[in-house]
Amino acid sequence: MMNVREYGNWINGAWLKASAMVERTSPANGVLLARFADSGEEEVDLAVKAARRAFDDRSIWSALPGGERAKAIGRWIELLVRDIDKLAKMEAEEVGKPIRFGKGETEWSIELARYAAALAWQIPSDLVNNAGDANLGMVVREPRGVIGMITPWNFPLVTLFQKLPFALAAGCTVVIKPSELTSSTTLEIAALAKEAGIPDGVINVVTGSGKAVGEALTGHHGVDMISFTGSTAVGKHIAARAAEQMKRVGLELGGKAANVVFADADIDAALDGVLLGYILNQGEECVQGTRLLIEESIANEFVAKLVERSKKIRIGLPEDPEADLGALIHEQHMEKVLSYIQSGLKEGAKLEIGGKRLTDSEFGKGFYVGPTIFSNVTPNMTIFREEIFGPVLAVTTFRTVAEAIELANDTNYGLGNGLWTKDIDKAIQVSRELKSGTVSVNTFLETVVQMPFGGYKESGIGRENGMDGLLEFTEVKSIFIKLGKRPHTLPHTVN
Ligand code: NAD
């Protein structure tokens, strides 16, 4: 018998019991995992007030020396490391992903926090020292304020850690609304922050639905910015609502990445990259390599090898240490993935492997779809255009470099793309012409914390990670100082 986790909201450094709860059952086998508070406007208001107090009283967090914030985040990181196995297990159970990917996700989240903590020591500012003897300009970065963070279910920890430690390093305070399906790790890491000595009110978590909690957070006048990761449809809605109050937004939205494989690539490495690119996290990944654009001369052989490798993918329960692929997040999502597969068949693509729900004894209680590859996919087909968010690959061929670039860019999204070639000139030319925030050359889904992440086009606004990620959580203030000396010339006036 499994222990069912039960949580209230985390507000001002304490658990607040809820009157209504929502249940999360395992997408892999239907077992009850956790109960979360089903909150609304009232709880959001309490949390925003706590975050507001912790921000506006400059002695608590926002105006501490950056190094003090760095040290506090550092103590928190030690506790995250201590509890890494517990967090990884919760992440795997609630998302349905294999445990080794839950562990990898938790490790990467900690890496992001380490980097963000270091940035707190040195938030950039500029001095304008050449405006004449009577003048001095200071361009300073200030923390933006109270940040409302809304996160999805596919990578609950990573999507949060691309925001949270950066906002904390900048001096902001936060109210987080995690996905109602995967809230445990967010609540756990908030409580760990208190144990690390991060002051009460700096991190608050309110759980519940997007309609109740997400809407209340977006509309709250005490929130200065919404940092959202999720679907493009909800992102557009949030941006429109935030505009009513001219609230800042950071939006990390959907994607439709392509892996572009040229005939001169290291084929073995490209096969590994394309395989990982479409099956990692069951394909529930914003930068999933869901389209394969392959040079016609090698297409048949490449796809045949990819099918063979896809057959060897180990499908498993979250606790299976060897599993490569887990369960989809919930039944309706699985039905949606299956309906995309049906559209591929109807619109004339050729099914090479998969295409079905797995129903044998071990997987029958869960929402499992096996690795699925379609060839003969054309740009007008739904599976080429829409985000499927399942382990489904759409293969399209090209003959020239120009055609490859045109196909890759033929999408409303622009989050990431990969390309595979041994020709450095071609790699750089194509990288420059791809309209996406990330381009991976001879690798896929690999990056370092110093590099910004975000989308062109409908994949979002703003950047996370890197110094750019931290700067999103700051406002710029120009302080112009008149010194005692008389000016040589008349100064310009401010409009
Ligand atoms: P979603 O947009 O349905 O939900 C995301 C979050 O928004 C959840 O917490 C949800 O409760 C909340 N929400 C829903 N309606 C809301 C509303 N009206 N107001 C405020 N909040 C609301 O997305 P999802 O299904 O949880 O996640 C999958 C999507 O996330 C995919 O499109 C994926 O590409 C995207 N994603 C993007 C990135 C990135 O970094 N660009 C990373 C991971 C996931």
Side-chain angles (χ1 to χ4, degrees), residues 150-154 159 162 177-180 209-211 214-215 218 228-232 234 237-238 252-255 286 387 389 415 453 459:
I150 303 177
T151 52
W153 46 257
N154 61 336
T159 52
Q162 293 196 170
K177 189 219 102 55
S179 165
E180 53 274 45
S209 71
K211 275 212 161 61
E215 290 283 343
T218 308
F228 170 79
T229 302
S231 61
T232 292
V234 175
H237 171 75
I238 286 178
E252 292 289 338
L253 309 177
C286 52
E387 190 179 41
F389 234 53
L415 196 56
F453 177 79
S459 287

Side-chain angles (χ1 to χ4, degrees), residues 306-457:
L306 193 62
V307 167
E308 283 315 305
R309 292 194 188 198
S310 298
K311 282 183 191 157
K312 297 193 185 115
I313 288 303
R314 183 179 165 99
I315 301 169
L317 295 170
E319 62 269 25
D320 177 349
E322 312 264 291
D324 303 306
L325 189 88
L328 294 172
I329 192 77
H330 53 56
E331 189 167 8
Q332 299 91 298
H333 183 62
M334 179 189 68
E335 293 301 340
K336 190 170 152 198
V337 170
L338 292 171
S339 79
Y340 276 120
I341 291 171
Q342 286 310 309
S343 86
L345 292 169
K346 258 195 235 125
E347 292 174 16
K350 181 178 170 215
L351 185 66
E352 299 277 354
I353 181 176
K356 286 196 196 76
R357 177 180 184 179
L358 307 184
T359 48
D360 70 14
S361 55
E362 195 183 8
F363 302 123
K365 288 190 207 144
F367 311 122
Y368 283 88
V369 172
T372 298
I373 300 177
F374 280 107
S375 59
N376 293 351
V377 176
T378 52
N380 58 325
M381 291 182 189
T382 311
I383 55 171
F384 185 96
R385 310 216 69 82
E386 294 186 16
E387 190 179 41
I388 300 171
F389 234 53
V392 182
L393 182 71
V395 184
T396 306
T397 58
F398 65 85
R399 287 194 185 148
T400 63
V401 173
E403 201 186 340
I405 294 167
E406 193 184 325
L407 282 167
N409 288 338
D410 185 7
T411 165
N412 291 343
Y413 294 108
L415 196 56
N417 283 298
L419 70 96
W420 302 81
T421 174
K422 286 186 192 150
D423 178 340
I424 185 72
D425 290 345
K426 199 192 285 177
I428 290 176
Q429 182 212 339
V430 177
S431 302
R432 285 178 172 157
E433 295 198 41
L434 289 175
K435 298 204 178 343
S436 56
T438 302
V439 177
S440 306
V441 179
N442 295 329
T443 182
F444 199 65
L445 299 176
E446 194 183 357
T447 186
V448 288
V449 290
Q450 300 93 315
M451 294 188 74
F453 177 79
Y456 281 35
K457 301 194 267 184

Side-chain angles (χ1 to χ4, degrees), residues 201-245:
V202 172
I203 302 178
N204 306 276
V205 184
V206 182
T207 60
S209 71
K211 275 212 161 61
V213 180
E215 290 283 343
L217 197 56
T218 308
H220 201 295
H221 283 271
V223 174
D224 299 295
M225 173 181 179
I226 294 288
S227 176
F228 170 79
T229 302
S231 61
T232 292
V234 175
K236 286 180 180 176
H237 171 75
I238 286 178
R241 286 211 60 212
E244 291 163 18
Q245 296 171 23

Side-chain angles (χ1 to χ4, degrees), residues 83-110 154-158 185 280-282 317-321 323-324:
D83 287 359
I84 193 165
D85 289 331
K86 175 176 156 189
L87 293 167
K89 183 165 177 285
M90 289 177 173
E91 200 77 341
E93 283 172 358
E94 286 175 21
V95 183
K97 68 177 84 185
I99 183 68
R100 66 194 174 98
F101 296 112
K103 183 88 181 276
E105 182 185 344
T106 313
E107 285 167 348
W108 182 247
S109 301
I110 293 170
N154 61 336
F155 289 98
L157 272 180
V158 163
T185 50
L280 186 79
N281 217 48
Q282 304 70 248
L317 295 170
E319 62 269 25
D320 177 349
D324 303 306

